Amino acid sequence: FGYDTTDLAAIRHRIIECKATRLLYVVGAPQAQHFAMIFAAARKAGWLKDPVRAEHVAFGSVLGEDGKPYKTRSGETVKLYDVLSEAVSRAYTIVHEKSTELSDEEQRSIAQAIGIGAVKYADLSNDRIKDYVFNWERMLSFDGNTAPYLQNAYVRIKSIFRKAGINDAEYKADVIKFVLPEERSLALELLKVSDYIEQVERSLEPHRLCGYLYNLASMFHSFYEKCPILTASEQDKSRRLALAKATAQVLELCMNLLGIATIERM
């Protein structure tokens, strides 16, 4: 059987037997015409009709530094397993140099989260329909729009609560009144999270959520630098801890939606 008959049988099965209401085909952009014809045929057959939706979630190619499809030096297609293994290995080298006080087991666990998270985020943070250049240094950097940058913001918040001797899971602040612009800006940014999640659910463009997370992490770092927490007065400390906790919660929620692990130490 050819692709056409197989895909038509599959779409019929998913709609009639599985009672699916939204079908997402995550396949490369070059297959756009193929799926357009499959969906048109399914509509003519009377299977694909409102409220059922079928969508081709197209994506671009991963390119090497030379601007050509990413391949090994010998010209073979790179295996995902090898990419992830290399990412974890490179992350371990970084963690081993930065976190000498942690045990080797902890370092390897952290490297696993950083390495795999970096690869996922590098892919998801780009507009999925566009090609992008695969670059190890950029994706594993702790600066810029990367997974390690987001993970580092989460680690910083966890560290603040540890130093304060407070269990952040149980922490509750009194009535909060924001005083400084950095506090207000961060609070307003946190309120946008549901809008971004709903937007991504509709558009199937995860890079929009990545952009929101990067902006949130950047705003938190700016807030942290200009609004001392541990050395602040009790009133200031209370509301700033509340903001820090809310930021960690939003980071964890959204990173989990993207399939990226959070870590508490780095």
Side-chain angles (χ1 to χ4, degrees):
F1 303 99
Y3 285 121
D4 296 339
T5 51
T6 301
D7 281 336
L8 277 172
I11 197 170
R12 180 185 184 280
H13 176 78
R14 289 162 182 161
I15 295 171
I16 296 175
E17 302 297 331
C18 301
K19 310 298 182 185
T21 56
R22 191 181 190 190
L23 307 176
L24 308 180
Y25 289 77
V26 186
V27 186
Q31 297 299 319
Q33 186 181 43
H34 167 75
F35 283 110
M37 292 190 295
I38 292 298
F39 298 158
R43 278 190 287 270
K44 280 185 174 292
W47 307 329
L48 182 57
K49 53 189 176 183
D50 292 337
V52 182
R53 287 183 291 164
E55 301 167 66
H56 176 204
V57 187
F59 56 86
S61 301
V62 182
L63 308 178
E65 297 288 350
D66 58 0
K68 298 178 180 178
Y70 189 49
K71 296 182 181 296
T72 63
R73 290 182 179 178
S74 60
E76 299 172 346
T77 301
V78 180
K79 292 181 173 61
L80 178 60
Y81 177 84
D82 295 333
V83 171
L84 296 178
S85 296
E86 177 73 10
V88 172
S89 176
R90 288 173 177 258
Y92 175 75
T93 300
I94 296 170
V95 174
H96 187 66
E97 293 174 353
K98 289 178 174 287
S99 307
T100 54
E101 75 283 358
L102 299 177
S103 67
D104 186 66
E105 183 180 359
E106 288 177 305
Q107 290 178 14
R108 292 191 181 280
S109 176
I110 292 169
Q112 181 91 356
I114 292 176
I116 293 178
V119 173
K120 287 183 177 181
Y121 192 84
D123 195 67
L124 295 172
S125 60
N126 287 278
D127 186 337
R128 63 173 168 77
I129 201 64
K130 296 179 180 178
D131 300 340
Y132 72 92
V133 176
F134 189 92
N135 182 285
W136 284 114
E137 286 69 30
R138 185 166 60 244
M139 72 171 59
L140 286 167
S141 173
F142 283 80
D143 295 311
N145 190 12
T146 66
Y149 181 75
L150 303 182
Q151 289 168 321
N152 189 44
Y154 186 83
V155 167
R156 173 171 279 184
I157 295 169
K158 291 293 182 178
S159 175
I160 291 169
F161 278 92
R162 281 198 301 272
K163 290 177 181 178
I166 298 172
N167 182 342
D168 62 302
E170 299 175 356
Y171 181 76
K172 291 183 179 179
D174 296 327
V175 177
I176 300 173
K177 181 179 180 181
F178 301 115
V179 178
L180 299 180
E182 290 79 12
E183 297 171 339
R184 179 177 172 80
S185 296
L186 181 58
L188 290 173
E189 192 68 16
L190 288 166
L191 293 174
K192 297 176 183 178
V193 61
S194 60
D195 291 337
Y196 275 92
I197 291 174
E198 290 173 6
Q199 184 183 105
V200 172
E201 188 274 334
R202 290 192 303 271
S203 69
L204 305 175
E205 295 174 322
H207 75 278
R208 297 185 184 280
L209 187 59
C210 293
Y212 167 72
L213 282 175
Y214 173 56
N215 194 46
L216 177 64
S218 299
M219 291 182 72
F220 176 77
H221 284 303
S222 177
F223 155 79
Y224 181 72
E225 289 172 5
K226 297 177 181 178
C227 304
I229 297 178
L230 298 179
T231 58
S233 66
E234 283 305 311
Q235 188 177 19
D236 290 347
K237 181 178 177 181
S238 176
R239 69 172 182 273
R240 290 172 188 173
L241 282 173
L243 275 172
K245 177 181 177 178
T247 302
Q249 289 175 319
V250 171
L251 285 171
E252 184 174 22
L253 168 66
C254 295
M255 290 170 71
N256 181 59
L257 289 174
L258 296 170
I260 296 171
T262 52
I263 46 182
E264 298 198 4
R265 297 177 187 272
M266 188 179 289

